[in-house]
Amino acid sequence: MFDKILDSKIWSFLFKGYGLLFLTFLYLPLGLIFVYSFNANAINMAVWTGFTFDWYLTIFGGANSQSSFDAAFTESPARIFDVVKNSAIVALTASTVSTVIGTATAIALARFQFFGKRLYQAFLILPMIVPDIVLGIALLIFFVGAGFKLSLLTVIIGHTTFLSSYVFVVVSARLAGMDTSLEQASADLGAGPITTFRRVTLPQIMPGVVGGFLLAFIISLDDVVITYFIAGVGGQTLPLFILAMMRRGLRPQINALAVLLLLFTFIVAAIGLYLRSRKK
Amino acid sequence: MNFLNITSARKAYRTPEGGFIHALDDVSLNVRNNEFLTLLGPSGCGKTTLLKCIAGFEDIDSGNISLEDQSLKGVPAHRRPFNTVFQNYALFPHLNISDNVGYGLDVARVPKKERADRVEEAMELVGLKGFGKREPNQLSGGQQQRVALARSLVLKPRVLLLDEPLSALDRKMRENMQIELKNLQNSVGITFVFVTHDQEEALAMSDRIAVVANGKVQQLATPTEIYDEPANAFVANFVGTSNIFTGKVVEQNGKNLKIETANERQVLATSDHFNLGDQVQVILRPEHMKLSPDGNEISECCIEGTVEASIFVGSEMHLHVNVGKGRTAIVHHRHNRGDEGERIEVGTDVKLYYSPNAAHLIELVED
Ligand SMILES: Nc1ncnc2c1ncn2[C@@H]1O[C@H](COP(=O)(O)OP(=O)(O)OP(=O)(O)O)[C@@H](O)[C@H]1O
Ligand SMILES: [Mg+2]
């Protein structure tokens, strides 16, 4: 009888309605940013005064009608390019290094037995759970104590520490699903441990490694809290820069910048999903 | 010179409960060059473990494994001249069939041209010519199994270890592959150590069979010896069907013995190994007992009983005969076309005739 009620048209309608509502709830704010980024109104973005590409053009330095009024509301393209470059350097370096560290650790833990392995594993996952703000302060104290001058380098090192945990978890999951008899078969056919790793293990866990890298990349790219503590002068990343801009008021250029960042993140995620589907 | 020799091998696994499983419990085995040796035993008896220890994926706790009198202790799997066909095939999913078969040659840096030729040859040998470009998951179980075989054979190993390679195949395919494998072994001249839990498969294919149970080799002998002269009750029951009667030798006349069985019957047997008063087990195969005497079976050599069930299986009637004190003997009675009149009803009293030579005696062991 319960089935009948659930089967009825009304329920099906309600379920669909709920689904739609939820999607709206999730995406309305993002949609608004997108729409506002094309709004010509420089003072109050909630009032639509016309369609413009200007905010995007100001980012790339292509706005031809640079009135003095506009200039007060925008950052210079050179400045934006600078922080984007910083973000790219941090994200690329930190995620690459942490992919190597995380993958190596995952393999070591999956293939070797040693005393206290469980505890070690727990400690490796901990940085993912520790509140960002605590991690940020801890890193700051460490860097200062160790005599590091806060810079882009400290950001890279800081990011690498906790991103390694993420890569470790993703690659470990992949390794757990891998058939160990493949490695035995490889050895059986005459391949030494290094050849086996290169030609059997690595191709098998590659989707996990790539997935871990992309995840680390995205997390690094939009991290604010931890970066805030450990970025010195000249170490400002894009999210920190946007945050700083916000302090001086909600400006339309921020919308355009946010949309671009969003777009880029989506593309990275899409590449990840694509690679995953291709290698099943 | 010994070929592949295993002496007193032991291997224990730790269980999660903190105990030990003795997967190999003092296994000694001598594999001869070029023979087809089968490890036959029930699930979990240690067959795969033994193969893994030979292949080098596992180390034995104690004992020794040697090839041509050279100990293999400390020799890693990739340096042993053995190849394995895995129970689950273990084909590399990221390589196509040619690359799977050519993997070992590639690792050994065999030149490209020669590699291609040998891969081609191996694929032809297992009847998979033209499948090179396919992915492993695009093949049937039987085809995957043959790829695994080709991948090993292409390296011309001294010994090929096969772990239940036919268990995933349907009956027809299986019978074909049994013949193919046996022919292949004859033609390539490689020693096969073949694992199965199927006794018919073992009897059909092997030069010798090692029956394994509880981590021990119960008997190592030719198929006919295993069947006709099982070393103990386990082998007698595991290979074929056996009627086993426990009893005591009550009369001895040279090698002719009379045994008084626990179910109050008397059985005649011939043996050199037992004397008056010995506790023994008498093994009689179902096809060696007949309902009427013919030539060899002297008339006093029979067991009386009552038919409890009769099952028609086509070529034979399987009779379950109560031979006293609830003991059931199974008799395979040959069925001839039009034998309708001879149909045996449940409840009929029968005499089971046998030749004293057909009765095999083994020592009674307490367990
Ligand atoms: N890695 C392991 N850890 C713990 N116990 C194991 C391990 N491998 C095997 N065993 C145990 O050792 C015993 C022998 O296992 P093995 O795999 O050799 O059996 P098998 O004869 O090949 O059985 P099957 O016919 O089912 O393949 C079993 O009781 C099994 O549970
Ligand atoms: Mg097994």
Side-chain angles (χ1 to χ4, degrees):
Chain A
M1 197 196 70
F2 201 64
D3 279 355
K4 263 223 183 91
I5 295 176
L6 283 178
D7 264 352
S8 74
K9 283 245 156 56
I10 298 170
W11 275 106
S12 135
F13 182 76
L14 281 179
F15 276 138
K16 281 178 190 157
Y18 174 76
L20 220 61
L21 216 63
F22 188 55
L23 264 189
T24 313
F25 176 66
L26 279 178
Y27 282 95
L28 191 64
L30 290 176
L32 276 181
I33 284 198
F34 184 74
V35 171
Y36 287 163
S37 72
F38 296 107
N39 187 356
N41 191 335
I43 314 287
N44 187 348
M45 63 174 71
V47 179
W48 185 264
T49 56
F51 182 89
T52 181
F53 273 121
D54 274 0
W55 307 123
Y56 288 94
L57 292 175
T58 58
I59 293 171
F60 297 106
N64 36 18
S65 61
Q66 271 271 19
S67 67
S68 57
F69 180 74
D70 276 348
F73 283 87
T74 56
E75 293 283 348
S76 77
R79 184 85 186 91
I80 294 175
F81 178 77
D82 233 27
V83 293
V84 168
K85 195 180 79 186
N86 278 351
S87 265
I89 291 172
V90 169
L92 273 176
T93 321
S95 51
T96 305
V97 176
S98 54
T99 298
V100 173
I101 296 175
T103 303
T105 315
I107 290 167
L109 257 72
R111 292 293 177 264
F112 300 104
Q113 299 297 328
F114 55 87
F115 180 73
K117 182 165 146 174
R118 283 290 183 78
L119 194 70
Y120 188 69
Q121 236 159 353
F123 272 120
L124 283 179
I125 302 175
L126 217 54
M128 291 172 61
I129 311 166
V130 172
D132 282 1
I133 196 152
V134 176
L135 204 57
I137 294 170
L139 282 168
L140 175 67
I141 292 172
F142 168 76
F143 285 134
V144 171
F148 277 92
K149 194 171 155 315
L150 293 188
S151 64
L152 211 53
L153 182 68
T154 50
V155 179
I156 292 173
I157 296 173
H159 280 201
T160 304
T161 56
F162 69 91
L163 290 179
S164 298
S165 294
Y166 285 90
V167 177
F168 168 76
V169 169
V170 175
V171 176
S172 287
R174 181 80 197 179
L175 271 167
M178 185 186 160
D179 186 358
T180 49
S181 70
L182 292 180
E183 287 167 351
Q184 285 187 350
S186 172
D188 187 68
L189 296 165
I194 295 171
T195 313
T196 295
F197 175 74
R198 205 164 45 81
R199 304 186 56 165
V200 176
T201 317
L202 202 55
Q204 285 298 304
I205 62 170
M206 211 50 196
V209 175
V210 173
F213 173 81
L214 293 177
L215 181 69
F217 185 80
I218 289 175
I219 293 174
S220 169
L221 198 63
D222 75 359
D223 180 76
V224 173
V225 180
I226 297 168
T227 316
Y228 179 80
F229 286 97
I230 57 178
V233 190
Q236 198 175 36
T237 59
L238 184 59
L240 284 188
F241 176 70
I242 293 177
L243 197 66
M245 277 172 83
M246 295 282 295
R247 291 225 183 81
R248 282 170 280 146
L250 210 57
R251 294 148 191 248
Q253 195 189 23
I254 292 176
N255 291 333
L257 216 51
V259 168
L260 288 177
L261 188 59
L262 190 68
L263 218 61
F264 183 69
T265 313
F266 275 170
I267 290 170
V268 173
I271 293 173
L273 284 178
Y274 169 72
L275 288 177
R276 196 156 156 185
S277 71
R278 211 173 48 124
K279 303 213 169 161
K280 55 168 184 33
Chain B
M1 183 165 63
N2 291 313
F3 186 61
L4 176 60
N5 204 26
I6 298 146
T7 32
S8 313
R10 286 176 191 278
K11 172 85 193 169
Y13 288 112
R14 202 180 279 279
T15 62
E17 301 84 45
F20 285 99
I21 291 178
H22 295 277
L24 299 182
D25 192 3
D26 196 12
V27 170
S28 293
L29 195 65
N30 184 18
V31 185
R32 295 174 189 153
N33 200 358
N34 285 344
E35 82 171 328
F36 194 119
L37 182 104
T38 296
L39 301 175
L40 173 67
S43 184
C45 71
K47 306 181 296 289
T48 298
T49 307
L50 182 55
L51 277 201
K52 281 183 177 169
C53 291
I54 296 174
F57 306 135
E58 300 270 6
D59 292 323
I60 45 178
D61 299 335
S62 65
N64 191 34
I65 299 177
S66 63
L67 180 70
E68 295 178 332
D69 295 334
Q70 300 276 317
S71 173
L72 292 175
K73 197 174 170 61
V75 179
H78 65 277
R79 298 239 170 76
R80 297 191 185 193
F82 309 144
N83 285 123
T84 310
V85 176
F86 289 79
Q87 198 160 5
N88 61 355
Y89 313 145
L91 300 181
F92 304 123
H94 59 288
L95 299 178
N96 68 22
I97 301 307
S98 297
D99 291 343
N100 261 284
V101 176
Y103 185 87
L105 296 174
D106 196 9
V107 165
R109 296 182 206 288
V110 171
K112 210 166 178 159
K113 179 75 184 65
E114 186 191 339
R115 195 199 320 161
D117 289 346
R118 281 173 69 178
V119 167
E120 190 68 10
E121 196 185 329
M123 304 252 295
E124 209 170 325
L125 193 65
V126 297
L128 282 179
K129 210 170 165 215
F131 281 71
K133 288 281 167 286
R134 295 226 207 159
E135 302 288 321
N137 62 11
Q138 295 170 323
L139 297 186
S140 73
Q143 290 166 337
Q144 289 185 28
Q145 188 260 314
R146 284 186 276 173
V147 174
L149 198 61
R151 185 174 70 172
S152 295
L153 281 174
V154 79
L155 297 175
K156 305 202 167 77
R158 301 298 305 275
V159 180
L160 188 63
L161 308 166
L162 303 105
D163 196 354
E164 307 202 26
L166 307 182
S167 58
L169 309 184
D170 64 51
R171 195 186 162 84
K172 194 86 203 136
M173 183 81 188
R174 207 180 158 109
E175 281 167 2
N176 284 339
M177 282 304 294
Q178 286 176 3
I179 298 168
E180 277 184 40
L181 259 186
K182 182 71 196 161
N183 289 341
L184 200 66
Q185 195 258 339
N186 281 333
S187 61
V188 294
I190 292 174
T191 306
F192 276 34
V193 177
F194 181 91
V195 164
T196 182
H197 57 245
D198 180 337
Q199 41 122 348
E200 279 178 35
E201 193 166 281
L203 292 172
M205 301 174 77
S206 322
D207 294 324
R208 289 194 303 160
I209 299 173
V211 181
V212 184
N214 301 324
K216 286 191 172 69
V217 176
Q218 306 287 332
Q219 187 172 12
L220 172 62
T222 63
T224 42
E225 280 169 340
I226 294 270
Y227 191 81
D228 291 340
E229 293 156 38
N232 55 39
F234 177 84
V235 177
N237 275 320
F238 194 75
V239 183
T241 312
S242 291
N243 296 304
I244 304 181
F245 304 102
T246 40
K248 190 175 164 186
V249 181
V250 291
E251 264 184 53
Q252 182 177 25
N253 183 5
K255 49 201 265 183
N256 296 324
L257 309 176
K258 184 184 271 181
I259 294 113
E260 178 91 41
T261 66
N263 52 322
E264 296 171 345
R265 293 293 187 276
Q266 292 189 336
V267 182
L268 300 183
T270 56
S271 169
D272 294 329
H273 307 296
F274 295 95
N275 295 309
L276 201 62
D278 284 350
Q279 293 284 349
V280 294
Q281 287 185 300
V282 186
I283 298 166
L284 274 167
R285 295 288 186 184
E287 67 276 17
H288 290 150
M289 298 207 276
K290 304 202 173 66
L291 294 178
S292 53
D294 67 12
N296 292 327
E297 294 91 5
I298 38 178
S299 54
E300 75 264 32
C301 191
C302 70
I303 301 170
E304 289 171 6
T306 313
V307 176
E308 279 180 332
S310 91
I311 300 151
F312 180 54
V313 296
S315 59
E316 291 171 336
M317 294 290 292
H318 288 183
L319 302 177
H320 292 218
V321 181
N322 184 341
V323 289
K325 290 213 160 171
R327 282 289 288 128
T328 302
I330 295 167
V331 181
H332 293 178
H333 179 58
R334 241 196 85 179
H335 173 80
N336 294 315
R337 195 152 178 256
D339 265 358
E340 204 54 44
E342 234 193 86
R343 190 170 180 118
I344 298 130
E345 301 296 334
V346 170
T348 315
D349 286 334
V350 291
K351 287 182 174 174
L352 307 176
Y353 294 91
Y354 59 92
S355 155
N357 294 325
H360 176 63
L361 294 188
I362 58 178
E363 203 178 336
L364 179 67
V365 280
E366 308 288 337
D367 53 10

